[in-house]
């Protein structure tokens, strides 16, 4: 499978900056006293490097070589162990905490999702914490992802024209097609992703089947309750 375009990866941090989601995961790491952390689907490592610190081991795992190259060039990258792959490449460890951020869970299809959860359970110690977020299907965010007009922004590689289209192709399964045209070269890069919107009940059942006990499901990054309008489902669980 072709990797991500390096020019678009350079824009990733601008589009996905540090914010309240990262604050949540950093606070969870501190509260749990985690000494060993796995960041699965770490992307460019913008959160990963901030989880590292004295007396703490952090592993960042991602299937994109381009993303990892960006992560390895980040200040503080030398404090993290970077691994190319998915949950099958998790190092043998008894980690205290494993996180999946940036809605990584939604990019994993159902068969691989069950395996991913099992792999994470195997990488965590008994009582270790799993935390991740997934968009709340009740909010139907994909209805707002289809562009009615193209937008253009300046980049290091010249103006970039962007537009997107989203369609629910099956219950809870959304195909997002993002088009990116570098106007100076008239080169268009099309990225197609399939996103899985799982309900709270589905997530809790799948997590339990993998050997976890769900400890909380929040409806926002301030640990508020889940309501239909909640944009995200923020899940924490412990290994049984």
């Amino acid at each position: 499978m072709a990797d991500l375009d390096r020019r678009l990866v350079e824009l990733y941090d601008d589009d996905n900056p540090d914010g309240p989601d990262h604050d949540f995961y950093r606070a969870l790491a501190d509260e749990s006293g985690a000494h060993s952390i796995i960041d699965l689907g770490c992307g460019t490592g913008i959160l990963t490097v901030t989880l590292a610190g004295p007396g703490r081991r952090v592993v960042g795992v991602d299937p994109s070589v381009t993303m990892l190259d960006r992560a390895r060039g980040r200040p503080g990258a030398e404090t993290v162990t970077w691994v190319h792959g998915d949950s099958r490449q998790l190092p043998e460890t008894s980690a205290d905490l494993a996180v999946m951020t940036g809605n990584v869970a939604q990019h994993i299809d159902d068969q691989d999702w069950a395996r991913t959860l099992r792999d994470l359970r195997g990488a965590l110690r008994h009582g270790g914490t799993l935390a991740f977020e997934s968009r709340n299907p009740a909010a139907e965010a994909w209805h707002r992802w289809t562009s009615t007009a193209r937008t253009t922004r300046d980049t290091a590689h010249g103006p970039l024209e962007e537009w997107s289209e989203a369609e629910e192709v099956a219950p809870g399964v959304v195909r997002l097609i993002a088009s990116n045209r570098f106007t100076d070269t008239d080169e268009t890069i099309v990225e197609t992703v399939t996103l899985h919107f799982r309900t709270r009940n589905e997530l809790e059942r799948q997590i339990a089947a993998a050997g976890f006990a769900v400890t909380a499901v929040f409806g926002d990054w301030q640990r508020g309750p889940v309501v239909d309008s909640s944009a995200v489902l923020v899940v924490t669980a412990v290994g049984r």
Side-chain angles (χ1 to χ4, degrees):
M1 183 178 69
D3 205 345
L4 301 171
D5 186 276
R6 192 169 301 275
R7 294 165 296 181
L8 298 180
V9 169
E10 290 175 5
L11 300 172
Y12 185 84
D13 291 350
D14 291 337
D15 294 339
N16 302 274
D18 196 309
D21 52 341
H22 292 181
D23 291 339
F24 172 87
Y25 291 111
R26 284 189 288 259
L28 186 63
D30 292 340
E31 292 164 8
S32 65
H35 295 290
S36 177
I37 300 175
I38 295 168
D39 185 357
L40 182 62
C42 64
T44 64
I46 185 172
L47 168 65
T48 323
V49 296
T50 68
L51 292 171
R56 185 180 279 175
R57 294 182 294 111
V58 177
V59 177
V61 184
D62 201 89
S64 168
V65 171
T66 311
M67 285 280 199
L68 286 176
D69 285 347
R70 186 79 172 173
R72 290 188 177 103
R74 184 180 297 283
E78 70 282 353
T79 63
V80 176
T81 299
W82 304 101
V83 177
H84 175 232
D86 56 26
S87 65
R88 289 169 290 191
Q89 281 71 50
L90 289 173
E92 293 186 9
T93 184
S94 294
D96 300 310
L97 172 65
V99 302
M100 291 181 286
T101 68
N103 297 298
V104 163
Q106 291 192 258
H107 291 260
I108 306 173
D109 66 26
D110 286 340
Q111 181 175 347
D112 288 339
W113 177 235
R115 173 186 52 75
T116 298
L117 290 172
R118 292 194 303 269
D119 291 344
L120 285 165
R121 177 63 195 91
L124 284 165
R125 64 169 175 80
H126 179 77
T129 300
L130 169 68
F132 67 91
E133 88 278 355
S134 185
R135 296 180 186 89
N136 181 15
E140 298 185 336
W142 62 87
H143 290 310
R144 300 184 292 275
W145 292 349
T146 296
S147 304
T148 56
R150 300 185 181 191
T151 60
T152 302
R153 59 171 157 168
D154 292 328
T155 75
H157 304 280
L160 177 65
E161 188 179 39
E162 300 166 291
W163 65 101
S164 61
E165 179 180 353
E167 178 186 8
E168 187 176 20
V169 296
V173 181
V174 174
R175 180 182 297 125
L176 174 64
I177 302 173
S179 300
N180 311 268
R181 175 177 171 262
F182 288 96
T183 61
D184 286 353
T185 59
D186 196 26
E187 181 181 4
T188 300
I189 300 159
V190 179
E191 296 181 334
T192 301
V193 297
T194 300
L195 299 173
H196 297 262
F197 285 75
R198 300 178 176 100
T199 67
R200 175 177 182 171
N201 287 340
E202 287 173 325
L203 289 171
E204 291 185 340
R205 184 176 67 253
Q206 293 157 348
I207 292 166
F212 290 96
V214 175
T215 52
V217 181
F218 302 115
D220 57 40
W221 297 112
Q222 290 71 44
R223 310 189 188 198
V226 175
V227 297
D228 284 348
S229 60
S230 298
V232 292
L233 303 172
V234 185
V235 182
T236 63
V238 295
R240 297 196 301 260

